[in-house]
């Protein structure tokens, strides 16, 4: 076979709304699986035509995961982003053909329930589909059998049907997209094994192969489960683990005789039996069965043969013993299989990450080196489009923070952590996962200096970004407020306790301590720090030392990348000033570092690990803290959104008068070595005031009563400040800042959608987030955050709605497990709208 693939096709015009760049970067894509092929198509369609795709194996059955993928595309996902990726994949591949052959059969997808728990989960999933705009329907057993006659009607309780799901022919779709890219100027090079990544001055310069070097301004690794090997050549840890997954084909099934003729392989919906970790598709008169119902089988890449040999490297020998129970379960669900046998099978390799999401983005320390890894066929075209937008336009139009390569904390990149979490994600791929459900191992990974004290108080811990975070404390079970906390439904009661409500009320009535250590803290110093932060943020930071400012990070389109609190603390080390940023996570650190001036006038440092924070809030907070210090903590001496250095007892602190719960109080920061002493000092001083330790569950309720947003949940880079109700944090008159031009002419009155507060009519109906919101009987938006408001005695939900349905007083419905719950759009904030409690 020749080493290039150059069959010319007529060039395709770029998508509407895109412009070809006048300067052509040299792009090298590593891997000609479906992701590499899709990316070459999306890039060349946008005018980047100097694209070379290098493949170590043959074209286009390369030997990777795409080559053996069964091609089932189920669109509905708890992630809006992943659903959008899948929906675009369906639209694009449905329109593709290769030499007259189909690339996608829109057969529909059917998920069946054999347990009441799964039936409830499918009802919830139907709500997710409505939230994300995917057409779907809940079916009774008879309707399921009408769609898929091989099902045993007596074994199923119902199903969820999406008519636009279907079957992708991965290799064929890859080649079809590659041909379009070739027609625009791209070239595909087979049998080129990458041996190195060239770089100079922190930028990629070339891809080195066993057959020569290819100069490059941009390199994108689309190498699938070989991604970690390519990443190491660029000095990048790619956190994925290759795992083998069983797939078998039956002998001919008599019930399918004559059903699938000609080029069509299937005529019935693709099928999932998630109660037994199984899925099914037709192969003519045979059934293909995929199974996750076996032990994790991690694969050592050193033992995988090179592509191009007699055996496809991604297809390992079938382990029959692992398929015995899945085969019995399959025969029970599909009785027609009793007249068939397992004819052939293999264990196919594909990729899992620690959190189950793909890995997209640019390496932090080698500019121009990008990855698009751990991407399944289901999401391939959508991922490729987002990557092409990111590269050509500077930012993807779809929110990708869940998938960003740089989302992980350093401890989450440990090989043992990646391996364990990847294997666990395999085990749980079809499990019913609660939104708050944490992984159990390895834990604990990161703990605050208060951890021992929290355990003594019976803290119930959940995990976020590796941090153990208390959600409530069993020591508060005896609080009198517990008895008055209303109950809630079974789903909302998981990972919840009425103790959380008592902690919220104690915060409103007395004083409480919250562990805020998991909040990402960044230190910005240097003579150029102020100008640097002024340009990257939306609010006015040119204020006196001791000022604290709430502000936003925007991208070039005006989308909100993050929200921050920025404190101007005074002189830093050497020249310039020191600023402390309260950020949302590692992506904020990455965003700032990538934009540092090249002259070294600004330094950014992550101080989170060496520091800790207690949020001390409640009407008695000043009564507690003032006797501990000679600093003035009065309202006149220490105003709202101010910061000062002080000693509380023997502990040096940076105190910031901020409140994310809507009560008087401070965020109190100190070094990690002083953390336990700070806890003990406050705890002892607060005993006479009825102090409680309070957790994240109470915190979330209190912040929603005040209407405080949570980035990544309530808003993302897909939303601008005015849509999200954050226009107050934008100062268009302060001078130029990143994203300013995109906001020109935009106001809260001109936006087409808004984030609004809903109050449910039934105060006992607590929803969890992502539920669809109906206006005039039709899906109109979706819930972001939700909680019971203990102070106001009502159930709260924040939701995105079109402007026409967003006015206070508007009646809407929230669908929760199939039930339409009446609700009203309500003026916010719900609690203390005049901010009197904070400013006293």
């Amino acid at each position: 076979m020749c080493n290039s693939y150059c069959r010319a096709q007529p060039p395709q015009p770029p998508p509407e709304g895109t412009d070809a760049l006048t300067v052509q970067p040299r792009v090298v894509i590593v891997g000609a699986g479906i992701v590499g092929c899709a990316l070459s198509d999306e890039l060349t369609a946008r005018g980047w035509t100097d694209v070379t795709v290098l493949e170590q194996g043959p074209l286009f059955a390369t030997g990777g995961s795409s080559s053996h993928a069964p091609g089932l595309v189920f669109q509905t996902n708890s992630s809006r982003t992943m659903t959008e990726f899948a929906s675009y994949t369906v639209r694009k591949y449905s329109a593709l053909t290769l030499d007259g052959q189909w690339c996608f059969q829109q057969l529909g997808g059917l998920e069946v329930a054999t347990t009441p728990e799964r039936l409830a989960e499918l009802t919830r999933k139907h709500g997710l589909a409505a939230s994300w705009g995917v057409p779907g329907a809940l079916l009774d057993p008879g309707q399921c059998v009408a769609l898929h006659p091989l099902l045993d009607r007596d074994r199923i309780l119902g199903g969820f049907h999406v008519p636009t799901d279907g079957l992708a022919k991965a290799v064929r779709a890859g080649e079809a997209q590659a041909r379009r890219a070739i027609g625009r100027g791209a070239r595909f090079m087979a049998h080129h094994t990458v041996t190195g990544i060239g770089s100079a001055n922190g930028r990629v310069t070339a891809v080195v192969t066993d057959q020569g070097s290819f100069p490059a301004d941009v390199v994108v690794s689309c190498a699938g489960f070989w991604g970690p090997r390519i990443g190491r050549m660029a000095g990048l840890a790619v956190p994925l683990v290759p795992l083998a997954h069983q797939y078998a084909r039956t002998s001919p099934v008599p019930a399918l005789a004559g059903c699938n003729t000609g080029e069509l392989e299937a005529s019935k919906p693709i099928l999932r039996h998630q109660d037994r970790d199984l899925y099914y598709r037709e192969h003519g008169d045979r059934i293909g069965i995929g199974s996750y119902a076996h032990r994790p089988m991690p694969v050592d890449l050193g033992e995988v043969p090179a592509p191009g040999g007699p055996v496809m490297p991604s297809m390992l020998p079938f382990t029959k013993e692992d398929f015995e129970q899945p085969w019995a379960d399959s025969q029970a669900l599909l009785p027609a299989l009793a007249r068939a046998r397992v004819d052939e099978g293999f264990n196919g390799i594909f990729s899992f990450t620690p959190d189950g999401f793909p890995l997209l983005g640019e390496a932090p320390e080698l500019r121009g080196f990008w990855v698009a890894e751990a991407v399944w066929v289901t999401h391939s075209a959508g991922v490729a489009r987002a990557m092409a937008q990111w590269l050509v336009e500077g930012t993807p139009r779809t929110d990708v923070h869940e998938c960003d390569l740089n989302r992980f904390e350093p401890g989450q990149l440990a090989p043992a952590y990646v391996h364990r979490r990847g294997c666990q994600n395999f085990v749980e791929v079809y499990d019913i996962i609660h939104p708050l459900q944490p992984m159990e191992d390895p834990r604990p990974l990161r703990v605050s200096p208060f951890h021992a004290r929290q355990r003594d108080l019976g803290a119930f811990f959940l995990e976020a970004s590796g941090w153990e975070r208390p959600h409530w404390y069993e020591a508060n079970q005896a609080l009198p407020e517990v008895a008055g906390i209303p109950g809630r439904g079974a789903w909302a009661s998981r990972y919840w306790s009425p103790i959380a409500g008592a902690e919220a009320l104690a915060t409103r009535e007395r004083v409480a301590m919250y562990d805020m250590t998991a909040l990402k803290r960044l230190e910005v110093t240097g003579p150029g720090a102020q100008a640097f932060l002024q340009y990257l943020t939306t609010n006015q930071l040119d204020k006196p030392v001791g000022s604290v400012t709430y502000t936003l990070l925007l991208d070039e389109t005006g989308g909100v990348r993050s929200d921050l609190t920025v404190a101007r603390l005074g002189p830093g080390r050497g020249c310039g000033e020191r600023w402390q940023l309260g950020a949302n996570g590692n992506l904020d650190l990455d965003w700032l570092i990538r934009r540092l001036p090249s002259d070294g006038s600004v330094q950014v440092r992550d101080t989170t690990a060496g520091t800790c924070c207690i949020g001390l809030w409640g009407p008695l907070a000043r009564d507690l803290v003032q006797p501990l210090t000679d600093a003035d903590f009065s309202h006149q001496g220490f105003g709202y959104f101010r910061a000062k250095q002080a000693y509380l007892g023997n502990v040096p602190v940076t105190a910031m008068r901020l409140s994310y719960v809507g009560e008087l109080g401070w965020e109190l920061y100190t070094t990690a070595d002083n953390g336990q002493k700070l806890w003990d000092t406050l705890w002892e001083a607060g005993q006479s005031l009825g102090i409680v330790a309070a957790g994240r569950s109470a915190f979330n309720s209190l912040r929603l009563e005040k209407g405080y947003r949570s980035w990544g949940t309530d808003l993302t880079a897909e939303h601008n400040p005015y849509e999200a109700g954050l226009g107050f944090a934008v100062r268009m008159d302060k001078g130029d800042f990143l994203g300013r031009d995109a906001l020109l002419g935009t106001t809260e009155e001109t936006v087409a959608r808004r984030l609004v507060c809903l109050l449910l009519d039934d105060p006992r109906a607590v929803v969890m987030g992502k539920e669809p919101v109906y206006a005039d009987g039709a899906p109109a938006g979706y819930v972001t955050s939700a909680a019971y408001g203990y102070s106001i005695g009502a159930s709260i939900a924040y939701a995105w709605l079109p402007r026409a349905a967003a006015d206070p007083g508007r009646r809407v419905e929230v669908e929760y497990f199939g039930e339409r719950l009446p609700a009203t759009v309500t003026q916010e904030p719900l609690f203390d709208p005049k901010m009197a409690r904070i400013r006293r």
Side-chain angles (χ1 to χ4, degrees):
M1 185 176 184
C2 68
N3 290 337
S4 63
Y5 188 89
C6 299
R7 192 184 315 174
Q9 296 290 318
Q12 303 291 319
E16 184 179 350
T18 63
D19 296 311
L21 296 187
T22 56
V23 178
Q24 282 285 309
R26 298 167 297 181
V27 180
V28 174
I29 297 172
V30 179
I34 194 160
V35 179
C37 291
L39 180 57
S40 71
D41 182 36
E42 297 286 339
L43 285 174
T44 55
R46 287 165 173 79
W48 281 23
T49 56
D50 189 350
V51 174
T52 301
V53 183
L54 302 176
E55 172 53 53
Q56 63 177 340
L59 300 174
F60 285 91
T62 64
S65 299
S66 301
S67 303
H68 64 70
L72 286 76
V73 178
F74 289 93
Q75 297 168 80
T76 310
N77 191 290
S78 62
S79 164
R80 181 173 177 269
T81 294
M82 298 301 285
T83 301
E84 186 172 330
F85 286 163
S87 295
Y88 179 73
T89 299
V90 166
R91 295 194 301 274
K92 183 175 185 181
Y93 293 174
S94 294
L96 285 179
T97 59
L98 183 73
D99 298 332
Q101 296 179 304
W102 61 271
C103 292
F104 188 85
Q105 274 190 271
Q106 203 159 62
L107 302 166
L110 179 62
E111 302 178 50
V112 295
T114 59
T115 64
E117 294 79 12
R118 181 65 62 180
L119 187 62
E121 173 68 3
L122 294 185
T123 304
R124 188 173 75 98
K125 199 166 193 178
H126 176 255
L128 289 171
S131 290
W132 312 148
V134 175
L138 293 170
L139 307 182
D140 63 29
Q143 292 170 312
C144 292
V145 173
L147 283 173
H148 204 298
L150 272 59
L151 287 165
D152 183 348
R153 189 186 189 283
D154 294 334
R155 288 192 175 268
I156 58 176
L157 303 179
F160 171 53
H161 178 237
V162 174
T164 54
D165 288 344
L167 196 60
K169 202 73 170 173
V171 174
R172 194 179 291 169
E175 183 174 352
Q177 292 172 98
R179 288 191 190 183
R180 300 202 318 185
I182 290 164
R184 304 183 190 110
R187 57 178 179 163
F188 279 67
M189 313 295 288
H191 304 298
H192 279 61
T193 300
V194 175
T195 59
I197 301 296
S199 63
N201 301 317
R203 289 203 61 87
V204 73
T205 58
V207 177
V208 182
T209 76
D210 58 351
Q211 298 195 44
S213 183
F214 293 80
D217 304 301
V218 174
V219 174
V220 187
S221 177
C222 301
F225 61 78
W226 279 290
R229 179 181 296 172
I230 304 299
R232 282 193 292 273
M233 298 177 191
L236 175 69
V238 177
L240 67 80
V241 56
L243 284 155
H245 160 57
Q246 286 204 308
Y247 193 77
R249 294 193 193 192
T250 69
S251 62
V253 178
L256 292 179
C259 290
N260 304 310
T261 57
E263 295 180 358
L264 298 182
E265 295 182 6
S267 56
K268 299 168 186 61
I270 55 175
L271 180 66
R272 273 177 172 166
H273 180 22
Q274 290 167 291
D275 285 320
R276 292 294 182 267
D277 297 313
L278 296 166
Y279 64 83
Y280 307 89
R281 56 154 292 188
E282 297 163 273
H283 292 276
D285 62 353
R286 303 165 188 256
I287 294 288
I289 307 171
S291 171
Y292 294 99
H294 57 80
R295 60 198 165 89
M297 301 179 188
V299 176
D300 181 352
L301 288 181
E303 299 177 1
V304 176
V311 178
M312 186 173 289
S314 60
M315 297 173 65
L316 304 181
F318 192 60
T319 51
K320 293 182 179 180
E321 64 276 11
D322 291 302
F323 200 69
E324 291 177 1
Q325 188 60 50
W327 177 237
D329 291 334
S330 296
Q331 290 177 307
L333 183 73
L334 306 171
L337 295 183
R339 300 180 62 188
R341 66 181 184 280
V342 178
D343 204 28
E344 58 181 336
F346 62 91
N347 292 352
I349 305 175
F350 65 149
S351 305
F352 275 83
T353 60
D355 58 7
F357 285 97
L359 303 170
L360 313 178
E362 188 180 25
E365 296 181 0
L366 183 60
R367 300 300 170 88
F369 184 84
W370 294 69
V371 301
E373 308 286 18
V375 180
W376 296 3
V377 172
T378 300
H379 309 107
S380 54
V383 163
R385 179 179 65 167
M387 289 293 295
Q389 292 167 348
W390 207 343
L391 288 163
V392 177
E393 302 169 22
T395 186
R397 299 181 197 174
T398 301
D399 167 53
V400 296
H401 82 275
E402 295 169 309
C403 310
D404 196 306
L405 168 72
N406 299 292
R407 64 190 181 269
F408 297 106
E409 296 290 331
Q412 295 174 298
L413 297 175
Y417 180 93
V418 173
H419 182 274
R420 183 68 190 92
R421 288 291 172 96
C423 289
Q424 189 61 29
N425 270 307
F426 178 91
V427 170
E428 295 179 351
V429 70
Y430 278 173
D431 285 3
I432 299 171
I433 303 295
H434 190 273
L436 295 176
Q437 182 175 333
M439 285 202 172
E440 296 302 328
D441 185 54
R443 285 181 64 192
L445 186 65
R446 308 176 80 187
V447 298
S448 79
F450 321 130
H451 188 69
R453 298 294 186 258
Q454 293 165 343
R455 284 186 302 171
D456 291 343
L457 293 172
F460 181 87
F461 292 100
L462 296 178
E463 182 208 31
S465 300
W467 286 101
E468 295 295 318
R469 302 198 303 181
H471 274 241
W472 67 83
Y473 294 84
E474 290 296 330
N476 294 326
Q477 175 67 55
L479 290 174
E481 292 91 346
V482 172
I485 301 303
R488 52 177 68 183
W491 186 250
S493 291
R494 294 185 64 185
Y495 305 101
W496 173 83
S497 167
I499 295 171
E503 292 172 358
L505 293 176
T507 307
R508 293 274 187 244
E509 296 162 3
R510 300 187 297 280
V511 63
M513 292 166 53
Y514 290 81
D515 182 359
M516 302 297 291
T517 301
L519 174 72
K520 174 74 79 173
R521 290 173 292 286
L522 307 177
E523 182 184 75
V524 181
T525 56
Q530 179 176 323
F532 172 72
L533 292 173
Q534 274 280 74
Y535 177 69
L536 289 181
T537 65
T538 60
N539 214 333
Q540 178 59 261
L541 302 183
D542 189 8
K543 301 175 182 177
V545 170
S547 298
V548 183
T549 305
Y550 176 80
T551 189
L552 310 174
L553 295 177
L554 304 184
D555 62 22
E556 292 83 353
T557 70
V560 181
R561 286 280 313 189
S562 188
D563 61 343
L564 311 172
T565 54
V566 180
R568 188 173 192 172
L569 297 181
R573 300 173 182 85
C575 58
E577 289 188 341
R578 181 167 63 96
W579 304 72
Q580 179 173 309
L581 278 58
N584 281 299
N586 213 52
L587 293 180
D588 294 344
L589 174 62
D590 180 68
W591 183 263
L592 296 176
I593 288 177
R594 289 182 186 279
R595 287 156 179 80
L596 286 171
S598 59
D599 60 6
S601 61
V602 182
Q603 296 81 45
V604 176
R605 187 168 69 98
D606 184 351
T607 62
T608 311
T611 56
C612 58
C613 178
I614 291 175
L616 184 74
W617 293 306
L620 302 182
R622 184 175 289 116
D623 296 335
L624 188 157
V625 74
Q626 187 62 79
L628 298 175
T629 182
D630 57 5
D632 185 357
F633 271 61
S634 70
H635 180 63
Q636 294 74 25
F638 197 158
Y640 190 52
F641 267 85
R642 298 288 298 172
K644 67 168 60 177
Q645 312 291 326
Y647 282 90
L648 298 183
N650 296 313
V651 181
V653 300
T654 298
M656 298 186 194
R657 192 169 168 198
L658 308 174
S659 178
Y660 204 51
V661 301
E663 293 293 335
L664 170 69
W666 293 266
E667 292 179 356
L668 303 170
Y669 298 89
T670 191
T671 52
D673 59 321
N674 282 304
Q676 187 166 291
K677 184 62 175 178
L678 175 62
W679 179 283
D680 292 344
T681 299
L682 296 172
W683 186 251
E684 181 179 353
Q687 290 306 300
S688 63
L689 301 172
I691 194 170
V692 300
R696 296 293 300 184
S697 185
F699 180 89
N700 193 53
S701 170
L702 295 169
R703 68 103 179 166
L704 286 180
E705 289 181 338
K706 289 295 296 178
Y708 295 148
R709 278 55 169 154
S710 175
W711 189 88
T713 302
D714 295 318
L715 70 155
T716 68
E718 290 188 13
H719 308 106
N720 72 48
Y722 302 104
E723 294 172 324
L726 298 176
F728 66 88
V730 179
R731 295 290 182 268
M732 296 294 285
D733 59 353
K734 77 163 189 171
D736 193 23
F737 58 85
L738 182 62
R740 182 182 184 276
D741 289 349
L743 297 183
L744 291 173
T746 304
T747 67
E748 291 188 5
E749 288 69 39
T750 62
V751 296
R753 59 183 176 179
R754 287 184 59 195
L755 181 65
V756 300
C757 178
L758 307 179
L759 281 183
L760 277 65
D761 287 7
D762 183 351
R764 300 166 299 174
V766 179
V767 301
M768 301 296 296
K770 302 185 178 181
E771 296 85 2
V773 180
Y774 286 75
D776 299 324
Y782 58 91
V783 173
T784 58
S785 296
Y788 185 80
Y790 303 101
S791 310
I792 64 172
S795 187
I796 308 166
Y798 271 76
W800 282 101
L801 289 176
R803 183 68 183 82
D807 291 331
R810 184 67 148 83
R811 297 288 288 168
V812 295
E813 294 175 306
V814 178
E815 184 181 294
Y816 183 64
F817 286 94
E819 182 181 0
R820 300 281 180 89
L821 304 175
T824 303
V825 178
T826 306
Q827 189 71 43
E828 56 175 331
L830 299 168
F831 184 82
D832 189 25
K834 295 183 178 180
M835 305 285 283
R837 297 173 69 93
I838 293 176
R839 292 192 170 101
R840 59 183 171 185

